[in-house]
Amino acid sequence: MKWLGRLALLCVVAALSAGGVVSVQLLRSMPKLDGQASLKGLNGPVQVTRDASDVTHITAGSAVDAWRAMGFVHAQERGWQLEFNRRLMRGELSEILGAATLDTDKLMRTLGIISMARQQLKGLSPATQAALQAYSDGIQDAWQSGQVRPSPEFKLLGTQAGGQSGQAWSPEDSVGWALMMALDLGGNWGQEFARLSASQVLSNEQLWQLLPAYPGEKPATAVDLPALYARLGVYAPAASKAAQARPQDSALAQWSADWVRDMGILEGKGSNNWVVPGSRTVSGKPLLANDPHLALSSPAIWYFAHLKAPAGELPGGQKHPALDVIGATLPGLPFVVLGRTPGVAWGFTNTGPDVQDLYLEQLDATQPDKYRTPEGWAAFESRSETIRVKGQADVSLQVRSTRHGPVISDVQPQYRGLIDDKRYAISLRWSALTPDNKTVDAGMQANWAQTVPQLQQAFADHHAPMQSVVMADTQGAVAFQAVGKLPTRAASNDIRGVAPSPGWLAPYDWTGWLPTAQNPAVDGAQIEQKGWHATANQNILPPGYAHFIGGDWTTPERFQRIEQLLAASPKHSRESLQAIQNDVLSLGAKALLPTVLSAKPQHPLGAQALNVLAAFDGRMSRDSAAALIFNVWADELTRALLVPQLGAGRFQALYGKRHFRAAVEGILSRNDAFWCGPQACATQVSTALDRALTRIAASQGSQMTQWRWGAWHPAISGHKPFGKVPYLNAVFDVRTESAGDLFTVNVGQYWANDKQEPFANRHAASLRAVYDLSPSGQSQFIYQTGQSGHVFSPRSRDMSQAWAQGTYRALQFEPGRWTHQLVLNP
């Protein structure tokens, strides 16, 4: 792709210099925001207006017309995003990107996202099916009518919406995209792989030191995992080749390989939300805050819209109240996913339960097409998939499945050389891959709700990913509930799903589903008594909770800081909640600060660095030299402690999306000779600081007063795929300096194993919103790019500086004025 990037950039430059002709072409590919347009299938005119915050307001004569118009608008604004995501979930990227993305296509074909989406679509209510059909028709007609024209991505890659079929979107794609969100947020199979990989070179005690249990808890299993896997002969004979990263010949191929490798890792995929009842607010009515932490992308994952239509009746006979909902939509779905109605607001964080289990499938030595089950040997289910690849012949993929699910060891390269594939394969059981998944039904029903009880009823059908939902309504009710479907495991299941289990032993099978009434919840009276309820991906289970639902929770630093700030004021306002969302004090840094201050560096800048760190209060601000020194030192120390025991290849494969900070803290607190080695921990602390100072000075110079965390910590909203193409990424990505670190409320997660920009902010608040439920209150929001998905539109990045600086835009049902007015006619 490097040559493509250079060629494309030259084409863009040449085109821009051509002047008039190109200007006309660019203008024609921009969305039409004013005047008149037509949309087939409408029953009446639809108003599509945009306010001063650039929120799109759709006012229609019926809910079906509103959803159809939402499809039209998404096609206008996010046409390439829809096309890329359609190809991603269908495993069709290589048709336009070449062999670089074959790993991704193979994984998606193996998971069978679209085939499962077809099954789930049939089980949705007639009303939801009608909504998805109207939405898809809106997208399709926008393209077929010529009213939406291809953005530069289509031109550069020589493709069209819908590819060869011309089907730009379908209802099954909407269900598939809901599954893709569950795949992104609902997984822990990557953590199970990490335990399998590390168990090859560590003892059981050392394994749990590397991947410790949640603070205050014991490991979820007492099984000696390394001994179990050694006894079963799981590992490949060529142990030296295990878990080695494969070199990639392009940045795009590296992205694909990393995406496949890191699938099923929850670390960093978090969020914050909290609700404050009226008794603790200035207005006397509830306030609700939410900032979901997702991978930053350009365009953003969200699109803000307001859908409005009168009460009516939907196909299937469902009568509905007036539709009036505003907030964040996901291009690919017609509903508001996060937001509010005039009566009620809600916000999500990821719960992070264990809804994915890996199984060791023992192979028949004499019949390799069979695997062992509790009843004896059984044949794999098998199907053939053909993947079109640009520039070369089609690739045939044989997909195998067991009674548990798809065999992922066939398509995730990290298993090659790790497990003995002559004896074992590894399959995946995942709660979302069931035909009765009605998450999309729940999403539609939530858009009608006006009270907390109605919202709770709507979310009863939510299946995956499990979300921790705070809710508040204008009547003053507040609540918390974890919504989603949880598997149950037998008491005899001693591994409890935290690592790959023997698939031929029945005790390791799931036994059923936990009744949704037993999901974790907190009622309004409990919230009133405390004064708030907050979640930040920490362990949400109340004391004495009867069910095991997982153990891979996010460490509680963000949650603890939110609690500190909520407790600090007797009354809260919208502004105080926004200040909490933008807080950059890192409790993770404060925990290790005494350790780095004990260092005895030999570097010429060492004494000055210690003085800077001594004055450091843990705030990860953009202009902070101390924040830069601390984070680079923590990275150097982590590498020094873990690489000798794991090996460089295995460490590189496991690091980045995992930060191992809890492991480092434990090692230092124990003064652990195994991990610190002959140098001893104190020496490791000091030499890590020396290396950090050398590393920073080589880039930012020797004048420490000029060192800045923000210079190495830009928030990069990466374009797909051109964010991985040299030269083009400078045009298509959105970059802005940012604050925060891995543990701040205003999170700024970096992937320290990235070879180009290891401290760049890759995972952060994908949006921030505060909902004011008082009669005169104003809700507000912001996210990191802009509403438009067209790279040459100023609306594609006009929120980025406000997002970085912690300011917001108004989110209003009835704004004072319109900046654009479009009428869609039948």
Side-chain angles (χ1 to χ4, degrees):
M1 294 295 288
K2 190 172 182 180
W3 67 268
L4 174 61
R6 290 173 176 167
L7 178 61
L9 184 63
L10 287 173
C11 291
V12 170
V13 172
L16 289 174
S17 64
V21 173
V22 174
S23 297
V24 170
Q25 291 298 321
L26 286 177
L27 285 173
R28 292 182 67 183
S29 67
M30 296 282 190
K32 183 177 183 178
L33 305 182
D34 296 284
Q36 304 278 326
S38 63
L39 178 57
K40 187 171 64 176
L42 290 177
N43 293 309
V46 175
Q47 302 289 327
V48 180
T49 52
R50 289 167 172 85
D51 64 21
S53 297
D54 206 20
V55 174
T56 299
H57 297 252
I58 296 174
T59 305
S62 70
V64 172
D65 276 3
W67 295 321
R68 191 182 304 273
M70 188 76 260
F72 181 93
V73 169
H74 279 165
Q76 273 192 312
E77 300 270 46
R78 303 293 184 85
W80 173 253
Q81 184 179 36
L82 287 169
E83 176 63 12
F84 184 90
N85 291 342
R86 185 190 68 81
R87 287 185 174 277
L88 172 64
M89 63 184 162
R90 288 177 174 272
E92 296 177 356
L93 286 177
S94 298
E95 185 177 358
I96 59 171
L97 298 176
T101 52
L102 262 174
D103 281 351
T104 297
D105 285 349
K106 288 178 179 180
L107 177 60
M108 298 315 301
R109 297 290 183 98
T110 297
L111 291 176
I113 294 294
I114 288 299
S115 61
M116 181 53 66
R118 291 191 190 105
Q119 296 182 56
Q120 293 177 1
L121 178 64
K122 295 175 183 177
L124 298 179
S125 70
T128 301
Q129 291 187 38
L132 299 183
Q133 187 65 59
Y135 174 78
S136 299
D137 289 345
I139 295 173
Q140 191 68 21
D141 188 64
W143 285 107
Q144 287 185 343
S145 66
Q147 295 178 94
V148 172
R149 295 180 179 274
S151 59
E153 295 93 335
F154 291 96
K155 298 291 188 182
L156 290 170
L157 290 169
T159 189
Q160 64 177 4
Q164 294 185 8
S165 72
Q167 182 67 47
W169 201 259
S170 67
E172 68 188 39
D173 290 320
S174 290
V175 180
W177 196 241
L179 280 173
M180 290 296 290
M181 292 304 298
L183 181 64
D184 187 47
L185 296 173
N188 78 319
W189 99 63
Q191 199 72 344
E192 293 189 39
F193 168 79
R195 293 188 178 107
L196 173 68
S197 177
S199 290
Q200 188 181 27
V201 293
L202 300 177
S203 70
N204 198 55
E205 180 182 16
Q206 293 158 359
L207 172 66
W208 290 101
Q209 291 170 352
L210 177 71
L211 300 166
Y214 189 78
E217 297 182 3
K218 296 179 179 179
T221 178
V223 173
D224 187 326
L225 296 173
L228 171 67
Y229 298 141
R231 184 171 67 253
L232 293 175
V234 168
Y235 298 113
S240 61
K241 296 182 180 179
Q244 298 296 314
R246 296 182 302 158
Q248 301 295 333
D249 58 3
S250 74
L252 185 60
Q254 188 64 58
W255 166 81
S256 178
D258 291 350
W259 192 83
V260 169
R261 180 197 66 203
D262 295 336
M263 186 59 63
I265 299 177
L266 278 178
E267 202 165 290
K269 296 176 181 177
S271 306
N272 305 317
N273 67 9
W274 59 90
V275 62
V276 181
S279 59
R280 291 290 297 271
T281 69
V282 174
S283 71
K285 289 291 186 178
L287 289 165
L288 189 149
N290 190 202
D291 54 297
H293 305 160
L294 298 169
L296 301 179
S297 63
S298 176
I301 190 173
W302 306 110
Y303 183 87
F304 269 73
H306 174 205
L307 300 175
K308 189 173 184 178
E313 185 173 321
L314 296 170
Q318 178 182 333
K319 294 183 178 179
H320 66 82
L323 177 66
D324 197 3
V325 60
I326 191 168
T329 69
L330 278 173
L333 290 163
F335 315 123
V336 169
V337 177
L338 296 170
R340 64 167 299 179
T341 67
V344 68
W346 66 96
F348 288 175
T349 66
N350 207 36
T351 308
D354 188 347
V355 295
Q356 294 176 338
D357 280 358
L358 295 182
Y359 288 93
L360 290 164
E361 306 290 9
Q362 190 173 24
L363 307 180
D364 187 336
T366 60
Q367 302 179 79
D369 62 337
K370 292 189 175 182
Y371 69 101
R372 188 179 175 189
T373 76
E375 292 77 32
W377 298 100
F380 285 98
E381 294 181 20
S382 183
R383 70 179 190 275
S384 181
E385 296 274 350
T386 300
I387 302 173
R388 294 192 182 101
V389 184
K390 186 175 183 178
Q392 68 175 61
D394 294 350
V395 170
S396 180
L397 174 69
Q398 203 68 21
V399 176
R400 298 188 296 173
S401 297
T402 72
R403 66 193 187 93
H404 297 115
V407 175
I408 60 170
S409 57
D410 287 347
V411 291
Q412 281 194 295
Q414 61 261 42
Y415 289 100
R416 297 171 193 160
L418 177 66
I419 65 169
D420 186 343
D421 59 10
K422 297 292 191 295
R423 302 183 64 188
Y424 294 101
I426 291 188
S427 66
L428 169 69
R429 178 82 193 268
W430 176 28
S431 66
L433 293 181
T434 58
D436 64 346
N437 184 340
K438 297 183 183 296
T439 297
V440 182
D441 268 344
M444 185 178 83
Q445 294 302 319
N447 282 201
W448 311 116
Q450 297 296 328
T451 66
V452 165
Q454 289 174 3
L455 199 58
Q456 291 172 315
Q457 183 178 0
F459 284 133
D461 279 335
H462 184 91
H463 191 123
M466 189 173 215
Q467 297 291 285
S468 296
V469 187
V470 291
M471 316 170 200
D473 65 32
T474 54
Q475 299 176 30
V478 293
F480 161 78
Q481 189 166 344
V483 302
K485 206 165 183 180
L486 291 166
T488 56
R489 298 172 177 87
S492 56
N493 183 342
D494 51 3
I495 295 178
R496 306 177 90 183
V498 303
S501 303
W504 60 93
L505 299 179
Y508 295 114
D509 292 341
W510 292 358
T511 56
W513 302 97
L514 187 70
T516 56
Q518 297 180 34
N519 285 359
V522 179
D523 62 29
Q526 293 170 296
I527 296 174
E528 286 281 357
Q529 183 178 10
K530 182 176 181 179
W532 67 83
H533 187 81
T535 76
N537 318 113
Q538 82 284 1
N539 184 347
I540 62 163
L541 303 182
Y545 186 70
H547 309 286
F548 175 79
I549 67 170
D552 291 323
W553 315 105
T554 297
T555 54
E557 292 87 354
R558 276 187 292 112
F559 170 70
Q560 291 168 349
R561 180 59 179 163
I562 293 168
E563 294 265 295
Q564 289 176 1
L565 294 170
L566 287 171
S569 176
K571 297 282 185 180
H572 282 282
S573 64
R574 185 189 69 214
E575 291 77 13
S576 70
L577 265 57
Q578 290 172 342
I580 296 172
Q581 286 185 326
N582 287 281
D583 184 78
V584 293
L585 189 145
S586 172
L587 296 185
K590 288 177 75 73
L592 275 183
L593 193 54
T595 300
V596 69
L597 288 172
S598 71
K600 296 178 173 55
Q602 302 301 307
H603 195 281
L605 295 174
Q608 186 181 358
L610 289 177
N611 288 334
V612 169
L613 289 167
F616 183 43
D617 63 358
R619 294 184 190 277
M620 297 290 168
S621 57
R622 287 175 289 175
D623 293 332
S624 172
L628 176 63
I629 296 168
F630 178 87
N631 280 288
V632 181
W633 166 79
D635 174 52
E636 290 290 342
L637 181 61
T638 303
R639 294 173 182 275
L641 297 180
L642 303 188
V643 169
Q645 304 302 336
L646 294 177
R650 194 185 313 269
F651 175 82
Q652 178 69 14
L654 298 180
Y655 192 41
K657 297 292 180 68
R658 298 176 189 82
H659 49 69
F660 292 117
R661 185 65 62 84
V664 169
E665 291 179 7
I667 290 166
L668 297 175
S669 69
R670 296 188 304 272
N671 195 25
D672 195 310
F674 171 79
W675 294 100
C676 288
Q679 292 189 54
C681 293
T683 302
Q684 293 279 23
V685 167
S686 298
T687 55
L689 183 57
D690 287 335
R691 291 191 300 274
L693 296 174
T694 298
R695 189 172 167 187
I696 299 168
S699 174
Q700 297 200 23
S702 59
Q703 296 299 315
M704 199 172 295
T705 55
Q706 302 299 312
W707 290 5
R708 301 175 62 258
W709 174 228
W712 274 20
H713 191 60
I716 302 177
S717 296
H719 182 274
K720 296 176 182 176
F722 294 147
K724 295 301 180 184
V725 179
Y727 308 105
L728 276 184
N729 55 11
V731 177
F732 285 87
D733 286 354
V734 177
R735 297 172 63 103
T736 184
E737 288 192 2
S738 66
D741 76 348
L742 309 164
F743 307 100
T744 50
V745 178
N746 182 6
V747 75
Q749 189 191 24
Y750 52 82
W751 300 339
N753 64 342
D754 185 89
K755 294 178 181 179
Q756 279 72 44
E757 295 185 271
F759 297 99
N761 184 357
R762 306 283 187 176
H763 232 101
S766 60
L767 69 84
R768 300 188 191 102
V770 176
Y771 305 102
D772 187 339
L773 280 299
S774 67
S776 59
Q778 185 184 86
S779 300
Q780 293 190 338
F781 80 102
I782 199 70
Y783 62 93
Q784 88 287 356
T785 55
Q787 290 277 78
S788 176
H790 195 298
V791 63
F792 293 114
S793 169
R795 296 172 52 248
S796 69
R797 57 194 69 211
D798 61 352
M799 296 190 205
S800 61
Q801 290 304 312
W803 174 86
Q805 294 164 8
T807 61
Y808 294 73
R809 292 185 176 187
L811 187 64
Q812 300 170 288
F813 286 102
E814 301 293 340
R817 65 183 181 90
W818 304 118
T819 58
H820 298 282
Q821 299 182 67
L822 177 70
V823 178
L824 295 178
N825 295 303

